[in-house]
Amino acid sequence: MDDVEDNQDDVLGLSEDENIMKPMNKIGGETLTGDGIIIPEVGMLFKNEQDMYDFYKKYAYTVGFPVKKRNSKKGEDGVLRYLTLTCSREGGSVGNSSGSLKPYPIVKLGCKARISPSCDVIGNWRINAVNLEHNHDTSPSKSRLYRCNRQLSAAMKRKLQVNDLAGIAVHKSYNSAVVEAGGYENMSCIEKDCQNCIECVRRLKLGEGDATAIQSYFSKMQAQCSGFYFDIDWDEESRLKNVFWADNRCVNHHGQSTLLGCDLVSNEDTNTFVWLFKTWLQCMHGQAPHGIITDQDKAMQNAIEIVFPNTKRRWCLWHILKKLPEKFGYHVDKHSIFGALHRLVYDSQSSDEFENGWGMMIDMYELHENDWLSGLYENRGRWVPCFLKTTF
């Protein structure tokens, strides 16, 4: 799963007469929208995953809804075989708040619009199931503003950086770009994207001599102790981007926590974690860990699958349980739900006992439509203690 949408990015105003599908017709056995875009149908074939994703994304752009990859599953050979692409309104909620100065409109939950393709042994992808119905309005005119469709051109990035160095505020740079483009409707990004770009550049910016000082210090440490290891990642403009170091003096055999490495990273995306894990693996002479405990960060999970394909990954139970107040603070039975979940997690002695208790809890508190719980249940083998006895 990736490209998970920020719900607030998808909440856009709709006019009352602006809603969904264009007229359709049949050409050559394929159903087309009024704009000539092919509509997804069961049995459609694609030569690879990217072609299939691009097809659905193009269709979604025409209809007017954002897309995300919801579920994925690998085969026994470690190759991705199953995938679900959904409308980004499939899960999550954004509601009005009387105490908010900028309340967001309520978004209907549980949109079922999706396609479910699978991959055969030679790499072709086939659509196996299709649902085109949305339980919310769609807006073709807003498609360019959905997160999955927004992008900053290289020229725009350069302009933002130059203006930032000159002390020109981001909103002024963005407004200038809007004028040059002939209006907001011709922009492929929003002001927030520009702000994020500049913030990223600023994080990479060090004072004069700082990067050299870091490298010099680490080289000195390595000269003093052959077990000291470090690596520095530079961006395309030779700016310090990420740093990793490990000191063998952190290792001990006294039952204490062992610090296997430290890092400073400029981002928390998949590419950054891939660099970090590959660097750590090199430091450990190619010896991958048998297991890793992390939070539910998707970018980190993607990187682990790339760098440590045979390593078992477990979700940190503490990180999951600490989210309960956030996820159920609104619920009238929140304290009972907290208690039920804790008992299931800590008292279940077998997988059958956990699953029976889980079903009873879902029925008792009518939590069938809770996407967060559904996701946890699908991945119960990663975090529930009674499952980890044999899987971790």
Side-chain angles (χ1 to χ4, degrees), residues 2 14 20 44 88 102 108-109 112 114 118 171 190 205 212 228 248 256 266-267 274 291 304 320 374:
D2 57 8
L14 299 171
I20 202 161
M44 284 183 169
S88 291
K102 293 184 178 181
K108 298 177 182 178
L109 304 177
K112 301 300 182 183
R114 67 190 60 208
S118 63
H171 75 273
I190 62 176
K205 193 183 301 180
T212 303
F228 185 88
N248 63 349
Q256 300 173 342
S266 61
N267 208 327
V274 166
I304 290 173
I320 291 175
S374 297

Side-chain angles (χ1 to χ4, degrees), residues 204-218 230 232-234 238-241 243:
L204 294 175
K205 193 183 301 180
L206 297 174
E208 184 176 355
D210 285 351
T212 303
I214 291 175
Q215 189 169 23
S216 176
Y217 176 76
F218 282 160
F230 78 94
I232 296 178
D233 183 29
W234 308 89
S238 298
R239 295 175 301 188
L240 189 149
K241 187 176 181 181
V243 181

Side-chain angles (χ1 to χ4, degrees), residues 40-229:
E41 294 181 349
V42 172
M44 284 183 169
L45 294 174
F46 304 88
K47 64 181 181 180
N48 54 52
E49 178 194 351
Q50 189 61 48
D51 283 357
M52 180 266 302
Y53 178 70
D54 290 343
F55 160 76
Y56 190 60
K57 189 176 176 182
K58 186 176 181 180
Y59 162 76
Y61 193 101
T62 301
V63 174
F65 66 93
V67 173
K68 70 177 179 180
K69 296 180 181 179
R70 181 65 176 87
N71 296 316
S72 60
K73 183 179 180 181
K74 294 183 177 180
E76 294 181 356
D77 55 1
V79 176
L80 182 66
R81 296 295 181 189
Y82 303 95
L83 186 64
T84 300
L85 300 179
T86 74
C87 170
S88 291
R89 306 279 176 83
E90 178 266 347
S93 63
V94 180
N96 282 327
S97 172
S98 59
S100 174
L101 295 177
K102 293 184 178 181
Y104 290 96
I106 294 176
V107 174
K108 298 177 182 178
L109 304 177
C111 180
K112 301 300 182 183
R114 67 190 60 208
I115 62 172
S116 298
S118 63
C119 178
D120 61 23
V121 293
I122 61 175
N124 294 322
W125 283 83
R126 179 185 187 274
I127 296 180
N128 302 317
V130 175
N131 188 331
L132 302 179
E133 299 298 324
H134 296 264
N135 66 350
H136 57 87
D137 291 337
T138 58
S139 175
S141 67
K142 301 298 191 298
S143 290
R144 63 183 179 81
L145 297 179
Y146 291 130
R147 186 179 177 184
C148 59
N149 297 322
R150 300 197 312 260
Q151 58 182 350
L152 273 174
S153 66
M156 184 66 176
K157 290 179 180 179
R158 287 194 297 271
K159 181 177 180 179
L160 287 170
Q161 293 179 38
V162 170
N163 287 355
D164 186 56
L165 290 173
I168 300 174
V170 174
H171 75 273
K172 291 184 178 180
S173 296
Y174 180 73
N175 290 339
S176 174
V178 170
V179 173
E180 292 178 2
Y184 289 98
E185 66 277 6
N186 298 321
M187 294 293 292
S188 61
C189 63
I190 62 176
E191 186 174 335
K192 180 181 177 182
D193 300 323
C194 299
Q195 292 172 343
N196 290 341
C197 175
I198 289 300
E199 288 175 4
C200 181
V201 170
R202 288 172 178 171
R203 285 198 299 269
L204 294 175
K205 193 183 301 180
L206 297 174
E208 184 176 355
D210 285 351
T212 303
I214 291 175
Q215 189 169 23
S216 176
Y217 176 76
F218 282 160
S219 297
K220 179 180 178 181
M221 291 291 294
Q222 195 172 59
Q224 295 176 350
C225 177
S226 59
F228 185 88
Y229 180 94

